[in-house]
Amino acid sequence: MSQADSTREHLIATYRKKAKHYDLTSRLYPAPGYPQRGQRLLAVQALGLRAGDSVIDLACGTGLNFGLIEQVIGPAGRIVGVDLTDAMLARAQERVARNGWSNVSLVQADAVSFDFPAPVSAILSTYALTQVPECAEVIAHGAAALSSGGRWVVLDLKVPDKTPGFLAQVGTATVRPFAAIDQWLMRRPWEAIRAAMREELTDPSWTELFFGTAFLAAGSAGRV
């Protein structure tokens, strides 16, 4: 089994176990009191959405971003939630039904092999893409599907610059149940994501959040 396949199997097994209580336990991720809700709001704002827009929420989990997106795009808009794990999507479907959103569709797919529908107004991924070894490839596939001026936004965790290795291991201890941390630290996927955004999109931006423990990367598809 390849390293990528091993990582994928680990993620599926992990999130199947955690799906039932994910909405609660995610409040403790990556640490109790972490400003996850505020960061999600910043990410949705960075999409520059308007009423009627179509949005792909990649690795949507239980749909924690859906409400923030719905507030902007309204019933005329559309959300496609994509996730690798059936159990997480089952929770997302419960959220959709509970809120009566008729404009949300859910797709079980790997981020790497997902066939992005085109054109789409915006693509969002929160706290997930750094766990995908082929994250740069996913950025490229998504960029190709965006409509002119469409936005790609990634919110995720990182290790602050110049952090000694032993401190990085200690600081990421709470994330260990969710990802293969040793591989994550070695790959430094946030650097691959930053490079891919610069390569594939116009006006790329990079903002470090909460003392460099997270980042918000954004860019637009070239205008014709």
Side-chain angles (χ1 to χ4, degrees):
M1 181 183 293
S2 70
Q3 187 60 63
D5 288 339
S6 177
T7 298
R8 199 166 289 114
E9 290 299 318
H10 173 77
L11 290 174
I12 292 172
T14 297
Y15 285 101
R16 275 181 177 161
K17 291 177 182 177
K18 295 182 179 296
K20 184 175 181 179
H21 303 293
Y22 183 79
D23 286 1
L24 177 62
T25 58
S26 67
R27 298 176 189 176
L28 307 176
Y29 176 82
Y34 197 81
Q36 187 185 127
R37 171 76 177 182
Q39 291 182 358
R40 287 180 186 274
L41 179 58
L42 286 175
V44 172
Q45 290 172 341
L47 292 171
L49 297 173
R50 296 173 295 181
D53 277 350
S54 56
V55 182
I56 295 174
D57 189 350
L58 194 63
C60 66
T62 62
L64 290 172
N65 297 323
F66 292 173
L68 296 172
I69 297 170
E70 285 281 357
Q71 289 176 18
V72 186
I73 66 172
R78 177 168 154 258
I79 298 174
V80 178
V82 182
D83 202 86
L84 180 64
T85 310
D86 48 2
M88 297 292 275
L89 287 174
R91 295 296 173 184
Q93 184 58 58
E94 291 174 3
R95 174 174 268 108
V96 170
R98 189 165 61 247
N99 287 277
W101 295 323
S102 59
N103 60 342
V104 179
S105 55
L106 302 175
V107 178
Q108 184 177 358
D110 188 320
V112 182
S113 60
F114 175 62
D115 187 12
F116 285 87
V120 64
S121 309
I123 304 171
L124 173 66
S125 181
T126 57
Y127 305 117
L129 197 54
T130 60
Q131 297 184 39
V132 179
E134 309 92 338
C135 53
E137 186 179 335
V138 175
I139 295 290
H141 290 167
L146 284 171
S147 58
S148 178
R151 298 279 286 169
W152 220 137
V153 172
V154 178
L155 166 66
D156 218 316
L157 301 176
K158 64 180 287 292
V159 174
D161 295 340
K162 300 180 180 178
T163 302
F166 75 94
L167 281 181
Q169 288 282 355
V170 172
T172 56
T174 56
V175 190
R176 191 169 296 278
F178 294 86
I181 290 302
D182 293 338
Q183 299 161 19
W184 187 79
L185 289 170
M186 253 188 331
R187 287 193 297 110
R188 300 181 67 84
W190 53 92
E191 294 179 355
I193 290 171
R194 186 175 192 177
M197 298 287 271
R198 286 175 170 172
E199 177 72 21
E200 303 293 341
L201 301 163
T202 61
D203 67 353
S205 65
W206 177 272
T207 305
E208 300 212 354
L209 306 172
F210 208 69
F211 310 106
T213 60
F215 67 89
L216 183 64
S220 305
R223 297 184 181 277
V224 295

